[in-house]
Structures are given as structure tokens and as C-alpha cells.
Amino acid sequence: MTSNTPPSTPANYIAGDWQPPSGTERHQINNPATTEALTTVTFSSQSDIDDAVSGGLDAFETWRETPVEERIQPLFRLKQLLEEEQEALAETLVKEHGKTFDEAMGEIRRGIENVEVACGVPMTMQSGTLLNAAPEIDESAPRRPLGVFAAITPFNFPVMIPLWFLPHAVATGNSFILKPSERVPLTSTHLLSLIEEAGFPEGLINLVHGDKSAVNHLLEHPDIEGISFVGSTPIAKHIYETAAAHGKRVQAQGGAKNHIIVSKHADLDFAAEKTVGSAFANTGQRCLANPIAVVEEDVYDEFTANVVSRTRDLTVGDGLASGTDMGPVHTEAHAKRIREDIETGIQEGATLLLDGREEYPDEPATYLGPTVFGNVTPDMNLATEELFGPVLALSPISDVAAGIQRINDSRYGNAASLFTSKGSEARQFKHDAEAGNLGINAGTAAPMAFYHFGGWNESFFGDLHAQGEDMVQFYTDKVVCIERWPESDTK
Ligand code: NAD
């Protein structure tokens, strides 16, 4: 099989073979834009997962002794294949997820950047040596790979998020199992078909479809060394606690409620443009979206008018149609929950400035226009909960310090942004805002692949984050080697 012909139905990829999952549960996948049934995914049985782990273990035995220069060669091929297949993969992603084609292309690019960074592992995996650490003693701390790692990933970035982990895990000498969201199995299968073509050894990289029972089996499996997770906060907490209780390394990234602060010293037009972009890209289904902007009172009315006018101009449609700015919500059930959250906002007394609920009566129920609320107070559902949809809340504040306090009062801490032209405000924000990814005059604080992807408070459970140098640390451990080589004439 070549990369251009991934299995037409979602298949597991275990020990170098495409296999139908052998569980009994099934889940139907519809195109969010048309409601057309795309496929049905069957979930893996526990024995499928056991097979993936044992394939990973076998592959690890050889891979851990493979020279690093050889380990990165399939990653260079993967980068090339991802670039050649970017449009085809983006199309699969749009049909299954609902985002726009441009968003899908951008997501894949972000994934490719992680492959590029992992190719630098001959440098990044080096660690310290000290000659003469003691009389006639040299000490060094070489990094070793550990074994089989698994990643459990969400539906909203089904190419980029697996690639936050996979290239780094294998570049450092480990083997890898991907358990993607059960809501995007076609995209994962397409991605794995490229990985197959890149020429990694059999069993090194495995794909198992499934839901929570697959996850729980991975968390408890004695031969898995570590777990990377990205998803909602309650599940992240469960993953962190369960994997740690089973002696594994774990990094678990959770949900978010990110704030933008708009200072009266900001370029308001620029801030409004970036606020709208951040809130509604990916239909608001992003952990880095800023769904609430807290705005200094002096400029609140002007900023609000600008945001509402820009939002009104957004075109909602099929992500594959040209001119679409925002795709549908991923599922009807999720769109229904967002409609209910909008109703809650009205009941709680926020001012509904733009109502996206009834804008597309002739389209499937996944279509939801962008919604904007004003005069949102800190206690409202709109200010505290992650809605994960196209809803933007605007809230007046007295000054930037009050905005930072709003961020710090949130139980989340994934990201935050400040728009200002005043250096002292920017500095205060950089020092005091309690969030892991900070943007200054940047609407979406998305770190490049060579920086770690932050996340604090209930947005992250663990120590070492995704991306960047944290990945080398997560996927390796250091031994300390104390060496003495006395001159000897006995042998
Ligand atoms: P989710 O938590 O529902 O699912 C994520 C993964 O967990 C999936 O693979 C799923 O199969 C598995 N899962 C679901 N329920 C489980 C259970 N009870 N036990 C064990 N495993 C379970 O998340 P989602 O809806 O796919 O994604 C959206 C969420 O992900 C949002 O909260 C978003 O903020 C978050 N997210 C966070 C980041 C980040 O970097 N912090 C990035 C992207 C998405």
C-alpha cells in the first residue's frame, strides 16, 4: 500500500500490518458539513492493544541500539511525504472534522514543524560529561530511551497533536502507540499510512482505534513506560492519576478558558482583528482560543463595536468551499450544548450582541453562526466554563491589573494574551499572568515546535510539556556513569 491509498475504512496499524480492530463497539463518523456518513470505526479489543504493545517492545530492542543518524532518516522522509500529501490529508481532515481547508493546511504545517525539530535529536539528546570530576574519575550522564510510549489525543487537531509526540518519541529511540480520538479515525489512518511509507521499522509506530476502554487498558498496561495525553480537564486528571498510580511517566494537557486583556493603550483595530481570529478559528474548538476578552472601560464601547462588526462579516460554510471563514461545529450534539450555553448566558444577564443560533435554518444542525456577548461578569458561565465553540464574551475591566487578576482567578491556565503599546503593562503581564502560553500583541499564543507547549493549573497535569526540549527529557532518562581507568600493567 502507498500513502495515496490509506485503508478506506479505519484500520489498526500493529507491528507493521493493517488490521481491522477486533472489538465489538462501533462508532459512526459523519461529515459535519453535510451529515453524510463517512465511515464506521470499530474499537480495539484488549488483545489488539496487547499486540501493539508487544510489537512495540520487539521493535524497541533493535531501535534503542540503532545509531541516531539512522533513526532520523525516516523522519526526513516523513516530512517530505507530509508535504507532498498535505492537500490530500487536509481534505480528509476537513471532511471528518469540519474545519476549513486553510485551517487544516495550517495544522499539518504545525505538525511538520515537530518532525523537523525531532530531526535535530543528534544535538538535543546530548548530555553532560565532566572530565576529572574526582581524582582519576570522569563522570557523564548519557540519556537512554525507555521503551514503549503511548499518546491519547483529542478530536480537534488530529494531525498536529499526534505529531507533538510521535517524532520525538521515536527520534529518541522509543517505540510508540497512537490512540487517537474515536471521532477522527480516517485522518489518523491516513496519517499512519504516510508513516508506513516513510519506512520506520515494523512495530515501531502503532495505531489503535478505540474509546475509554482502550485508554484504560493502555494506562494499566505493565509494558508501557509513559503516557502523553491531550483532551478535556476531567479526563486529563483521570489519565494523570491512573497512569501515575501504575508507575508511568505522564504528561496530561487539559481544557482551557483563555483570556485576552485589551488595554486602553492598545491598537484597538489590531486587537479586535486578532480577538475575532482567536475566538472563531477552528469554530472556537481550540485549546488556545481566547473566548473571553476583558477590556479597559475607556475603550470598551469602541472595541465592542469593532469586534461585532468584524464578526458579522465572517462567512460560515463547508470547510472545503472557497470563501468559508468558519466551518460547522464538529457534531450536532456539541452544537446543541453550545446553543444551551448561549441560552444560559442570556438567562444570567449578559447582553447578546450577535446571536449565531438561528442563522442557518436550512443547514444541518452542526451549523452555528458566531455569537458575541457583552457585559459578561466574572461569575457567569460564559466567563468560567470552556464552551469549545464559536462564542465570544466581552467584559469591561478597570485596568490591566484587574485583567491579570481575572486570569489568575480562573481555574485554568492554558494561555492568555495582552494587547497594549505600553511596555510596563506588558512586563507586568509577563511576570504575573498565571498561564503557560502568553501572547503580547498576539491573539493566539501558539508556541513554535522548538518551544514547549505550556499549560498551567487545571490545563495541565505533569511536569514536562509537549514539544521542544521537554520532549527529549520526557522520552529519555539519564544514567550517571562514573568511570575510572587506572594505568595497569597486570594485563
Ligand atoms: P476528550 O477529553 O473528550 O477526549 C480526549 C481523548 O480522551 C480521546 O482520545 C478519548 O477517546 C479519550 N477519552 C474520552 N473520555 C475518556 C474517559 N472517560 N476515559 C479515558 N479516556 C477518555 O477531549 P476532546 O473532546 O476530544 O477534545 C477537546 C478537549 O481537548 C478540550 O477540552 C480542549 O481544550 C482540549 N485540548 C487541550 C489541548 C491542550 O494542549 N491543552 C489541546 C487540544 C485540545
Side-chain angles (χ1 to χ4, degrees):
M1 182 169 53
T2 71
S3 66
N4 299 317
T5 55
S8 52
T9 53
N12 283 347
Y13 185 64
I14 295 177
D17 274 336
W18 291 102
Q19 308 169 4
S22 68
T24 50
E25 300 273 324
R26 288 160 72 82
H27 180 63
Q28 182 175 312
I29 308 297
N30 298 332
N31 181 335
T34 61
T35 68
E36 169 207 1
L38 294 175
T39 192
T40 300
V41 58
T42 304
F43 295 165
S44 300
S45 64
Q46 293 198 347
S47 83
D48 294 337
I49 289 162
D50 293 341
D51 289 347
V53 177
S54 84
L57 272 179
D58 288 348
F60 175 66
E61 281 315 306
T62 313
W63 192 243
R64 65 190 286 273
E65 290 300 332
T66 301
V68 64
E69 189 57 20
E70 280 179 42
R71 294 205 303 262
I72 60 174
Q73 296 312 314
L75 287 169
F76 284 111
R77 285 195 289 279
L78 178 60
K79 167 186 156 63
Q80 192 184 348
L81 286 165
L82 282 163
E83 285 171 348
E84 286 168 9
E85 280 279 304
Q86 190 170 358
E87 292 194 354
L89 184 58
E91 195 175 321
T92 306
L93 173 46
V94 172
K95 282 186 183 156
E96 189 169 59
H97 176 281
K99 65 180 65 182
T100 68
F101 187 73
D102 284 351
E103 288 167 347
M105 291 290 281
E107 160 175 358
I108 297 167
R109 182 63 231 160
R110 283 289 177 144
I112 292 169
E113 285 163 12
N114 270 278
V115 179
E116 291 167 349
V117 169
C119 288
V121 82
M123 296 296 292
T124 58
M125 202 173 157
Q126 294 178 19
S127 56
T129 298
L130 185 62
L131 303 183
N132 296 316
E136 294 183 31
I137 296 275
D138 298 340
E139 284 195 24
S140 59
R143 292 188 174 281
R144 287 188 188 165
L146 295 168
V148 186
F149 281 82
I152 297 147
T153 53
F155 81 90
N156 64 332
F157 286 98
V159 175
M160 178 185 75
I161 290 181
L163 293 176
W164 278 355
F165 306 109
L166 183 156
H168 305 285
V170 298
T172 49
N174 301 283
S175 49
F176 189 81
I177 298 173
L178 173 64
K179 202 303 287 173
S181 167
E182 61 275 28
R183 299 200 242 152
V184 282
L186 287 171
T187 307
S188 323
T189 304
H190 195 156
L191 175 63
L192 262 287
S193 73
L194 302 184
I195 284 164
E196 178 190 40
E197 196 178 346
F200 295 95
E202 283 182 5
L204 191 75
I205 298 174
N206 302 275
L207 169 69
V208 289
H209 295 286
D211 67 353
K212 61 184 175 192
S213 62
V215 173
N216 290 330
H217 194 55
L218 287 166
L219 297 181
E220 295 173 6
H221 202 293
D223 292 329
I224 293 205
E225 290 295 326
I227 299 278
S228 301
F229 173 84
V230 183
S232 57
T233 287
I235 311 302
K237 197 159 182 285
H238 162 68
I239 301 283
Y240 181 70
E241 290 171 351
T242 311
H246 286 81
K248 301 186 193 318
R249 291 182 168 212
V250 53
Q251 48 178 193
Q253 303 191 203
K257 186 74 182 183
N258 307 317
H259 290 57
I260 282 182
I261 303 174
V262 181
S263 157
K264 64 184 176 200
H265 302 291
D267 175 339
L268 283 192
D269 191 48
F270 181 70
E273 179 199 335
K274 296 298 175 196
T275 299
V276 171
S278 179
F280 299 114
N282 221 46
T283 321
Q285 301 163 118
R286 273 203 304 183
C287 69
L288 286 182
N290 276 297
I292 178 161
V294 294
V295 186
E296 271 198 81
E297 280 153 359
D298 292 5
V299 295
Y300 178 79
D301 289 343
E302 186 185 343
F303 180 79
T304 300
N306 194 325
V307 161
V308 170
S309 147
R310 285 175 178 280
T311 307
R312 200 171 267 131
D313 287 345
L314 295 177
T315 304
V316 178
D318 187 326
L320 288 178
S322 67
T324 297
D325 297 311
M326 190 176 100
V329 172
H330 181 57
T331 61
E332 287 187 12
H334 187 41
K336 182 167 177 283
R337 273 197 300 281
I338 298 165
R339 285 192 173 84
E340 288 164 4
D341 285 322
I342 294 171
E343 187 54 37
T344 304
I346 297 167
Q347 298 303 324
E348 288 185 339
T351 310
L352 186 57
L353 300 170
L354 204 59
D355 185 353
R357 286 175 299 176
E358 309 305 338
E359 278 193 50
Y360 300 95
D362 301 328
E363 301 293 350
T366 45
Y367 281 76
L368 195 56
T371 292
V372 182
F373 276 101
N375 296 317
V376 172
T377 54
D379 52 317
M380 290 178 184
N381 192 58
L382 286 167
T384 59
E385 301 307 311
E386 179 179 48
L387 311 189
F388 220 56
V391 181
L392 173 61
L394 303 175
S395 183
I397 46 165
S398 54
D399 55 19
V400 167
I404 293 174
Q405 193 55 50
R406 288 278 200 96
I407 291 165
N408 296 353
D409 287 343
S410 169
R411 68 177 192 278
Y412 296 108
N414 206 40
S417 290
L418 166 68
F419 283 89
T420 187
S421 59
K422 199 171 170 189
S424 57
E425 287 178 347
R427 187 166 190 270
Q428 183 190 6
F429 175 76
K430 187 163 75 177
H431 283 238
D432 296 341
E434 291 171 10
N437 300 293
L438 296 181
I440 297 176
N441 296 319
T444 305
M448 297 298 288
F450 28 83
Y451 275 93
H452 72 273
F453 189 102
W456 282 16
N457 302 332
E458 291 193 22
S459 295
F460 181 72
F461 303 89
D463 309 286
L464 296 165
H465 294 78
Q467 294 200 148
E469 68 181 39
D470 280 23
M471 285 280 78
V472 172
Q473 293 183 46
F474 186 73
Y475 287 123
T476 61
D477 207 349
K478 289 177 290 191
V479 291
V480 178
C481 183
I482 300 149
E483 296 180 58
R484 175 186 285 126
W485 294 97
E487 287 287 343
S488 166
D489 53 6
T490 54
K491 288 200 175 153

